[in-house]
Amino acid sequence: MEETKVPQIFDEKAQSLARKRAQSRMAKTGPSFLLIRAAEDAASRIADINRQFERGVVLSSVDMRDTIISELPAGRQPKNLDWYDSLEAMNGEYDLIISLLELQTENDLPGALVRLRHNLKADGLFTAALFGGDSLSDLRQTLYTVDSAVFGGATARVYPMIDHHQAAALLGRAGLNLPVVDKDRVKVSYGKLETVVSDLRDLGLTNTLTARHKAPLPKGYLQAIKAAYPKTDDGKFPAQFEILWLTGWSPHESQQKPLKPGSAKMRLADALGTQEKKV
């Protein structure tokens, strides 16, 4: 049987350089505010689980373990917590895997989730933060408008991003039980468009698409983006980041299972204390 070839959406060499630059930037200035928010949110989710994990791992571009641990009470802190800056570097078997905005540039996201699932012990928890499809909608629409005017059509500048329904399907496809997908919306007002770009560079999210336009941008392109961008009444550049949280458990016999169709022992009408009407 012929092996299915994974589409190369991202230029792996360009993405590796972008990642190294991002790590260098955050080594000087500290983690991105979005990465900090994701780490704190991950800690909040773990704190709500009545369990102390034995061995966990954090996947993130820079080490966010201290942020997570500092947000957890002693009884919820994993006894051991590793850190890797990429999925390829990860090695081991864990009962907790946390991915913080780290799967955004995977050419094979379904395959990446399957690999992570294989690193989970039975009844182990997987939780990951990814940017969802509603992220940076103003910027994306502005880029489309300006590119259409300058180049005669849209160019490859926007990363593909999954939505809520796609995320749930990916968890099931990876073989994770009790899947849950929810979202966190972060709204920011920027004084300068350059700051938006800087925040994306901090996360290694500059344009590394294989099909990207590689020629230098024409003179006046950035000014055209600034002029077309929808601004607030006080002249700021609004931006919204949608962070999707994907959560699932490695299968185990102790986990709840859905009832089989027809196995209910009481009619819904009886449970509600109402009379069933025939039509």
Side-chain angles (χ1 to χ4, degrees):
M1 183 176 180
E2 187 178 348
E3 185 177 349
T4 303
K5 190 173 182 180
V6 177
Q8 295 302 295
I9 301 169
F10 299 98
D11 181 331
E12 293 183 358
K13 184 177 180 180
Q15 184 56 42
S16 178
L17 290 172
R19 170 188 289 275
K20 290 177 181 177
R21 292 191 193 104
Q23 291 171 328
S24 178
R25 287 168 65 92
M26 286 192 282
K28 296 176 182 177
T29 62
S32 160
F33 77 95
L34 290 165
L35 198 52
I36 293 173
R37 184 182 181 107
E40 291 174 344
D41 202 352
S44 176
R45 293 161 187 273
I46 296 167
D48 289 338
I49 299 172
N50 186 24
R51 177 173 169 182
Q52 185 175 29
F53 293 96
E54 293 290 330
R55 188 185 182 202
V57 62
V58 179
L59 290 174
S60 55
S61 54
V62 293
D63 192 350
M64 300 303 295
R65 287 178 295 180
D66 287 347
T67 301
I68 293 173
I69 292 172
S70 67
E71 295 288 321
L72 288 171
R76 292 290 184 272
Q77 295 175 4
K79 294 179 181 179
N80 295 283
L81 190 60
D82 296 338
W83 166 69
Y84 292 101
D85 66 355
S86 70
L87 174 58
E88 289 72 24
M90 196 174 85
N91 181 30
E93 191 175 31
Y94 302 91
D95 60 354
L96 171 65
I97 296 177
I98 305 167
S99 177
L100 303 177
L101 306 176
E102 190 53 37
L103 300 175
Q104 207 69 43
T105 55
E106 287 287 336
N107 279 314
D108 181 13
L109 181 56
L113 292 177
V114 170
R115 279 183 284 161
L116 287 165
R117 152 77 180 83
H118 288 159
N119 281 95
L120 271 179
K121 295 179 179 179
D123 202 31
L125 174 66
F126 168 75
T127 185
L130 289 89
F131 288 117
D134 287 340
S135 296
L136 298 174
S137 54
D138 287 329
L139 177 60
R140 290 156 61 192
Q141 182 58 47
T142 301
L143 289 170
Y144 176 80
T145 300
V146 174
D147 280 353
S148 296
V150 174
F151 300 107
T155 64
R157 301 193 189 281
V158 179
Y159 284 16
M161 289 178 279
I162 62 174
D163 62 24
H164 187 279
H165 298 292
Q166 291 168 329
L170 284 170
L171 288 171
R173 181 175 173 180
L176 291 162
N177 284 352
L178 309 175
V180 175
V181 179
D182 60 311
K183 62 185 70 176
D184 175 28
R185 295 186 184 273
V186 185
K187 295 183 178 181
V188 187
S189 291
Y190 289 95
K192 297 188 298 183
L193 183 62
E194 289 84 352
T195 310
V196 183
V197 177
S198 179
D199 281 348
L200 294 176
R201 284 177 177 159
D202 283 347
L203 293 168
L205 297 180
T206 49
N207 192 353
T208 61
L209 293 168
T210 301
R212 68 191 182 280
H213 187 78
K214 297 179 182 179
L217 292 174
K219 187 177 180 180
Y221 183 86
L222 183 59
Q223 287 304 121
I225 294 292
K226 290 180 179 179
Y229 200 108
K231 301 172 191 66
T232 61
D233 292 340
D234 57 357
K236 292 187 176 181
F237 297 84
Q240 175 176 274
F241 298 91
E242 179 190 53
I243 300 177
L244 293 181
W245 279 96
L246 287 64
T247 302
W249 293 83
S250 181
H252 188 264
E253 60 183 10
S254 67
Q255 293 166 357
Q256 293 179 338
K257 296 177 177 61
L259 293 174
K260 295 180 180 178
S263 62
K265 296 181 179 180
M266 180 181 290
R267 297 184 311 145
L268 178 61
D270 294 337
L272 297 176
T274 60
Q275 188 173 6
E276 188 176 1
K277 294 181 180 180
K278 294 184 179 180
V279 292

